[in-house]
Amino acid sequence: MKILVLNCGSSSIKYQLFDMTDQSVIAKGGIEKLGMKGSFLKHTKANGEKVLFEGEILDHKSGIEYVLGVLTSKKHGCLNSLDELDAVGHRVVHGGERFNSSVYITDEVIHEMEKCIDLAPLHNPPNLKGIYAMQELVPGIAQVGVFDTAFHQTMDPHVYMYGIPHTLYTKYGIRRYGFHGTSHRYVSKRACEILGVDYEKQKIVTCHLGNGASLAAIKEGRSFDTSMGFTPVEGLVMGTRSGDIDLGAVLYIMEKEQIGIKSATALFNKHSGLLGITGVSSDMRDVEAAAKIGNEKAAMAIKMYSYRVRKYIGAYAAAMEGIDVLVFTGGIGENSFTTRRRVCRGLEFLGVELDKEKNESTVGIEKVINKDGKPIKVVVVPTNEELVIAIDTQKIIAEKN
Ligand code: ADP
């Protein structure tokens, strides 16, 4: 079975083609600057060879058409024809309260997804464009939607509600939804497989530390709490997002700076976090490099970053009445042993203690990195959201047939 995984953003399309007989990736790539000048498609073949196609790619439909053309081309492709493509799995950012798991896409499901646009006006429309495009380009192709929010639909109301008038929830669905669910689900299960423990019996904290970053508390196989909320801006200090901030400060800034909703949205989502604090970069590698040569703001940003993660771990230990497994993933969680060290330092009282050598030798691989005999197992698990989307798609198609 061959499954194409699509992640359609507003100006990008990422894709991976899986051969599900062995879950291998037989082609992958992405279009960037979609709809802009200088758009291009970068394609990587199964043997690792990379090909660059430059040209104007105006919209999602022509972008996906381009991708399908490359996948079936004699020179660079790996499919003889589109008949070999069995299904498409789409990453969909927001499933609201309607979707608590991945779904087979029908016209009715599309209609329900369209109702979620209001909740993620920047993210859901391009996700839907990818679905419409596939319907038009490969009529009858089986499609599955995998939602970033779905895993967190198990949170209890006292966890997901905000302390605001209840009518705002009933009128507009204002509540905490959480994101990165596909990643939290994958790495928490994988960590339990690595440790050989029963997923349904663990209290797990997963730290997804990438450009966007969130923590999840997972109790007995269900998402119990997570740090992102109504939007992905809540919670941790991220690459360009502020994370938690007193909303009084937000209102004050808007008043003083005389800015409206659009500018404030950009300020807290695109110009804050590591980038805003340091003025150097949103990229942790650059921030770490700047701190090394004495940039004080960079040093503070690094401290703020790990302090916020540690604070949430402590909060989740209290919320779940303990932690058995702590998982690190995402570009920073997988690769930055210094971030893992800083986050875990001070958590010894909970039973977290890293093995120095194991931590420092772990870059981008699966590994248990706690000191032997410590009560809390600490595991690094590289995330693989595309694979989860492909597996969900395969499962749902099999159930359907
Ligand atoms: P995205 O959320 O866009 O998928 P990633 O999960 O790829 O992002 O994470 C990107 C982040 O990971 C960047 O801040 C980058 O600096 C960081 N990162 C990647 N490799 C390293 C490394 N070796 N050391 C520190 N940070 C790293």
Side-chain angles (χ1 to χ4, degrees), residues 112-131:
E112 291 291 324
M113 284 180 175
E114 285 165 345
K115 287 191 197 161
C116 297
I117 287 178
D118 238 10
L119 293 169
L122 297 179
H123 294 103
N124 275 25
N127 302 157
L128 275 160
K129 280 182 189 163
I131 295 170

Side-chain angles (χ1 to χ4, degrees), residues 186-188 190-192 194-195 205-207 209 325-341 344 354-355 358-370 377-383:
Y186 172 74
V187 300
S188 56
R190 186 73 199 120
C192 290
I194 294 166
L195 294 167
V205 173
T206 44
C207 309
L209 310 178
V325 184
L326 178 63
V327 187
F328 285 97
T329 192
I332 299 172
E334 292 162 25
N335 298 301
S336 173
F337 68 82
T338 52
T339 300
R340 294 192 298 254
R341 185 174 63 207
C344 292
L354 294 183
D355 180 297
K358 284 181 192 162
N359 180 42
E360 293 183 5
S361 62
T362 301
V363 179
I365 53 164
E366 290 183 344
K367 187 135 172 200
V368 181
I369 58 168
N370 57 281
K377 307 296 170 221
V378 186
V379 192
V380 176
V381 182
T383 195

Side-chain angles (χ1 to χ4, degrees), residues 11-30:
S11 64
S12 69
I13 298 173
K14 292 187 202 132
Y15 62 92
Q16 288 198 12
L17 182 64
F18 285 86
D19 181 346
M20 296 309 283
T21 44
D22 59 357
Q23 299 185 344
S24 60
V25 177
I26 48 177
K28 65 178 177 182

Side-chain angles (χ1 to χ4, degrees), residues 67-333:
V67 171
L68 296 176
V70 172
L71 291 174
T72 51
S73 84
K74 280 226 155 50
K75 194 158 176 211
H76 303 295
C78 48
L79 298 173
N80 291 318
S81 82
L82 289 177
D83 293 341
E84 285 180 26
L85 189 62
D86 295 287
V88 185
H90 294 266
R91 175 186 181 218
V92 183
V93 169
H94 217 307
E97 290 186 331
R98 168 64 181 78
F99 298 104
N100 58 13
S101 60
S102 305
V103 284
Y104 188 87
I105 296 175
T106 60
D107 288 344
E108 195 208 323
V109 166
I110 290 179
H111 185 61
E112 291 291 324
M113 284 180 175
E114 285 165 345
K115 287 191 197 161
C116 297
I117 287 178
D118 238 10
L119 293 169
L122 297 179
H123 294 103
N124 275 25
N127 302 157
L128 275 160
K129 280 182 189 163
I131 295 170
Y132 306 140
M134 282 308 302
Q135 277 187 327
E136 285 182 45
L137 295 166
V138 193
I141 186 87
Q143 303 202 71
V144 167
V146 179
F147 302 89
D148 273 17
T149 50
F151 181 58
H152 301 301
Q153 277 298 300
T154 49
M155 289 191 292
D156 286 330
H158 71 276
V159 175
Y160 67 67
M161 292 298 282
Y162 288 115
I164 55 175
H166 194 266
T167 45
L168 295 170
Y169 167 66
T170 45
K171 260 168 112 172
Y172 307 118
I174 309 290
R175 48 158 284 183
R176 306 181 58 252
Y177 290 95
F179 299 86
H180 291 142
T182 312
S183 176
H184 289 298
R185 171 161 64 106
Y186 172 74
V187 300
S188 56
K189 281 193 184 154
R190 186 73 199 120
C192 290
E193 279 167 19
I194 294 166
L195 294 167
V197 295
D198 185 351
Y199 184 57
E200 306 288 332
K201 291 193 177 143
Q202 307 302 307
K203 294 169 184 167
I204 307 168
V205 173
T206 44
C207 309
H208 178 111
L209 310 178
N211 280 318
S214 67
L215 260 69
I218 299 159
K219 193 176 182 183
E220 293 159 4
R222 297 164 64 240
S223 176
F224 184 84
D225 200 349
T226 189
S227 59
M228 284 178 168
F230 178 66
T231 74
V233 80
E234 189 178 338
L236 304 176
V237 175
M238 308 178 213
T240 62
R241 297 187 195 123
S242 64
D244 296 337
I245 176 171
D246 179 357
L247 77 91
V250 173
L251 300 173
Y252 190 85
I253 292 165
M254 288 176 74
E255 191 182 22
K256 287 283 177 197
E257 293 278 311
Q258 291 284 296
I259 55 171
I261 303 292
K262 230 177 164 179
S263 303
T265 304
L267 172 61
F268 295 107
N269 282 281
K270 293 194 179 338
H271 306 291
S272 295
L274 294 177
L275 175 65
I277 301 161
T278 63
V280 170
S281 171
S282 62
D283 192 296
M284 185 55 104
R285 283 165 293 200
D286 300 337
V287 176
E288 286 184 346
K292 251 192 201 140
I293 55 167
N295 183 319
E296 286 178 14
K297 285 186 198 142
M300 185 182 66
I302 289 171
K303 274 192 181 163
M304 286 171 71
Y305 188 94
S306 41
Y307 177 74
R308 185 78 57 91
V309 178
R310 187 161 70 237
K311 203 158 92 166
Y312 266 96
I313 294 172
Y316 289 161
M320 293 193 292
E321 301 176 36
I323 301 179
D324 301 307
V325 184
L326 178 63
V327 187
F328 285 97
T329 192
I332 299 172

